[in-house]
Amino acid sequence: MNAFDTAPLFRSAIGFDRLTRLLDTARAAAEAPAYPPYNIEKTGEDSYVLTMAVAGFAPEDLDITAQENVLVVSGKAAQGNEDQRRFLHRGIAGRAFERRFVLADHIQVQGADLANGLLHVALKREVPEALKPRRIAIAAAQPASQPKVLEGSSEAPLAA
């Protein structure tokens, strides 16, 4: 019996387990280029960190955009004096890229930083108070009122 590998389904989804959206994006994720490589890490109950390897890119070469439920990270390396450089081997990619990540509802980008060639994007789920589950108090029902009994003589009138 062959087990179904679900890893491609979770490749570009952060913070939710809705199968319908995953199935819609699974095909696109499987066909997406593998550059630049990235990790998605769950760091808390409702927090995540997306880490991308973007060696050779400066902060001004990168653009992060969050719109609706999509996070787009793109980069375009500055083309300086490429004509004067002669590479014997070029293994560090400096090509332009764009990666799209589908975000769950209420996932917000908290910030981003670039250190040692790694771009870290902090994400957090912030559900509005109005949408959080709330406990509803149940009032106990009052017992039905008993029919009132008139107090009176229990003796029957005597017949004459």
Side-chain angles (χ1 to χ4, degrees), residues 23-34:
L23 291 175
D24 289 343
T25 60
R27 180 181 39 85
E31 295 172 0

Side-chain angles (χ1 to χ4, degrees), residues 19-85:
L19 188 57
T20 56
R21 285 191 190 174
L22 291 176
L23 291 175
D24 289 343
T25 60
R27 180 181 39 85
E31 295 172 0
Y35 178 77
Y38 63 90
N39 293 336
I40 300 172
E41 178 183 0
K42 186 169 184 170
T43 58
E45 182 68 28
D46 289 324
S47 58
Y48 306 86
V49 173
L50 168 66
T51 302
M52 298 181 75
V54 291
F57 289 86
E60 57 272 5
D61 299 334
L62 299 169
D63 185 41
I64 302 170
T65 307
Q67 184 177 3
E68 295 181 12
N69 288 2
V70 177
L71 174 69
V72 179
V73 180
S74 58
K76 184 174 182 189
Q79 301 297 324
N81 53 2
E82 291 293 318
D83 295 335
Q84 292 124 9
R85 300 172 80 182

